[in-house]
């Protein structure tokens, strides 16, 4: 299965989990308390987020804390920016062409 | 010269669509011609560093289009689709990359007249799945662009 940032944020529950973890790190139970979906479902989402590199699970005593790693999210911003630049290049050429067409009209 | 008109790309997570929005300091009929006259179209649509070869271009309702981007090593990337609606206000077409057959997107370009002889172009692309859309954004559409960024990644990694 696909394991990248796009996959991680494709699901609304996973986006909500990340939003929650942006404020503070939480235990698995702490995360689950904030959601109506079952605890195993929350665990599955956290597992996927972990595999995508967006959270880390840190054992501390008997607890396991989940912490967000937001530097990975920049990957998405970078891909979108690259795609935007591709179009910007085309549109800058189109600008030049339109200027030429205006003169010829 | 970089334009003051910003290119906006709207890619929401988890959706199978995207928007590209840009304004132009030119009246709509010129934008329409730049999209439908093959001699004008080839001048801007191809990515930088690629030769753009139009195989078919029939910008009428039900017409076909097909072109190749050829890089300096002679690698060819084919794309094709059909025009569904061609009017001054809207151009609707399907789009398929031949390197990824069966994954077709629907693209609607709306040409909107603005005051002062200006025009806003909004491209709305709808893909068959979220993965298809993300794949398109990630690839930057062109292998060359991707390779360029992979090289950049290597350089950046080397700098760390």
């Amino acid at each position: 299965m696909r394991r990248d940032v796009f996959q991680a944020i494709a699901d609304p529950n996973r986006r909500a989990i990340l939003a929650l973890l942006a404020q503070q790190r939480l235990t698995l139970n702490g995360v689950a308390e904030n959601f109506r979906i079952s605890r195993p479902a929350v665990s599955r989402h956290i597992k996927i987020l972990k595999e995508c590199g967006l959270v880390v699970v840190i054992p501390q005593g008997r607890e396991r804390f989940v912490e967000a790693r937001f530097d990975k999210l920049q990957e998405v911003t970078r891909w979108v920016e690259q795609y935007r630049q591709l179009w910007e290049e085309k549109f800058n050429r189109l600008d030049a062409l339109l200027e030429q067409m205006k003169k010829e009209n | 010269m970089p334009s003051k008109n910003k290119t906006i790309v709207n890619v929401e997570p988890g959706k199978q669509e995207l928007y590209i929005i840009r304004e132009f300091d030119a009246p709509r009929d010129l934008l329409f011609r730049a999209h439908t006259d093959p001699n004008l179209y080839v001048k801007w649509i191809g990515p930088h560093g690629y030769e753009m070869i139009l195989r078919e271009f029939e910008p009428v309702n039900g017409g076909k289009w097909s072109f190749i981007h050829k890089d300096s090593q002679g690698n060819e990337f084919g794309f094709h689709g059909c025009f569904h609606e061609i009017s001054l206000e809207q151009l609707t077409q399907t789009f398929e990359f031949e390197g990824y057959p069966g994954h077709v997107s629907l693209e609607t370009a709306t040409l909107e007249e603005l005051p002062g002889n200006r025009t806003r172009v909004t491209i709305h692309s709808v893909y068959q799945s979220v993965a298809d859309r993300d794949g398109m954004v990630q690839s930057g559409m062109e292998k060359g662009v991707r390779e360029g960024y992979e090289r950049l990644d290597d350089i950046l990694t080397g700098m760390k």
Side-chain angles (χ1 to χ4, degrees):
Chain A
M1 204 189 159
R2 237 177 113 206
R3 285 290 178 263
D4 58 27
V5 185
F6 278 95
Q7 176 66 21
I9 60 173
D11 181 274
N13 282 315
R14 286 200 289 278
R15 290 201 296 277
I17 291 172
L18 283 174
L20 186 67
L21 291 171
Q23 296 155 27
Q24 55 179 324
R25 67 177 201 163
L26 288 166
T27 61
L28 210 57
N29 279 329
V31 176
E33 275 167 17
N34 287 276
F35 290 90
R36 281 197 196 150
I37 53 170
S38 70
R39 213 200 113 125
V42 170
S43 290
R44 270 198 302 278
H45 284 309
I46 288 175
K47 185 166 174 274
I48 292 169
L49 288 171
K50 202 174 124 185
E51 286 166 5
C52 296
L54 279 168
V55 304
V56 289
V57 179
I58 303 165
Q60 202 172 316
R62 285 184 190 174
E63 297 285 5
R64 294 170 79 222
F65 282 92
V66 190
E67 241 179 66
R69 285 286 181 269
F70 283 102
D71 37 333
K72 263 272 171 182
L73 269 183
Q74 285 171 5
E75 238 177 65
V76 177
T77 323
R78 207 180 62 218
W79 284 119
V80 174
E81 176 54 22
Q82 167 191 335
Y83 186 72
R84 196 191 68 78
Q85 278 173 13
L86 184 82
W87 278 95
E88 190 153 85
E89 247 182 50
K90 292 181 196 215
F91 289 149
N92 286 341
R93 280 198 298 277
L94 180 52
D95 277 335
L97 175 67
L98 290 165
E99 284 308 312
Q100 205 184 319
M101 289 167 76
K102 275 195 234 171
K103 278 178 203 153
E104 284 164 12
N105 256 10
Chain B
M1 199 184 78
S3 172
K4 63 180 182 343
N5 294 312
K6 295 273 171 268
T7 302
I8 297 163
V9 171
N10 193 341
V11 183
E12 272 188 54
K15 293 200 171 178
Q16 57 201 84
E17 63 179 356
L18 61 83
Y19 289 90
I20 300 163
I21 303 152
R22 172 69 142 76
E23 292 179 8
F24 293 89
D25 299 318
R28 182 163 68 182
D29 62 311
L30 291 194
L31 261 304
F32 180 77
R33 275 174 51 203
H35 278 83
T36 52
D37 178 331
N39 296 321
L40 299 175
Y41 191 61
V42 295
K43 285 186 179 165
W44 68 273
I45 196 69
H48 184 68
Y50 286 75
E51 188 191 345
M52 165 93 190
I53 305 157
L54 271 190
R55 290 183 292 203
E56 288 174 287
F57 195 70
E58 306 160 354
V60 292
N61 297 1
K64 288 184 214 164
W65 66 266
S66 159
F67 58 70
I68 297 170
H69 292 155
K70 198 170 170 181
D71 70 14
S72 53
Q73 282 98 51
N75 297 313
E76 294 186 350
F77 305 94
F79 302 84
H80 70 264
C82 300
F83 292 109
H84 289 250
E85 184 200 338
I86 296 291
S87 69
L88 203 52
E89 296 80 29
Q90 196 157 287
L91 302 103
T92 307
Q93 64 188 78
T94 49
F95 177 99
E96 185 171 359
F97 171 42
E98 288 164 12
Y100 197 34
H103 297 263
V104 184
S105 61
L106 177 66
E107 312 209 324
T108 308
T110 306
L111 311 182
E112 193 184 337
E113 284 189 309
L114 299 176
N117 268 335
R118 299 178 75 252
T119 307
R120 181 186 295 128
V121 177
T122 304
I123 301 171
H124 180 212
S125 299
V126 185
Y127 296 84
Q128 288 169 327
S129 66
V130 177
D132 275 8
R133 185 206 64 172
D134 293 350
M136 180 58 80
V137 174
Q138 280 178 305
S139 71
M141 278 164 79
E142 313 301 334
K143 196 169 165 282
V145 175
R146 188 163 69 234
E147 283 172 353
Y149 270 81
E150 278 166 7
R151 276 198 299 277
L152 181 60
D153 276 352
D154 290 342
I155 294 164
L156 293 172
T157 310
M159 283 165 65
K160 274 178 197 166

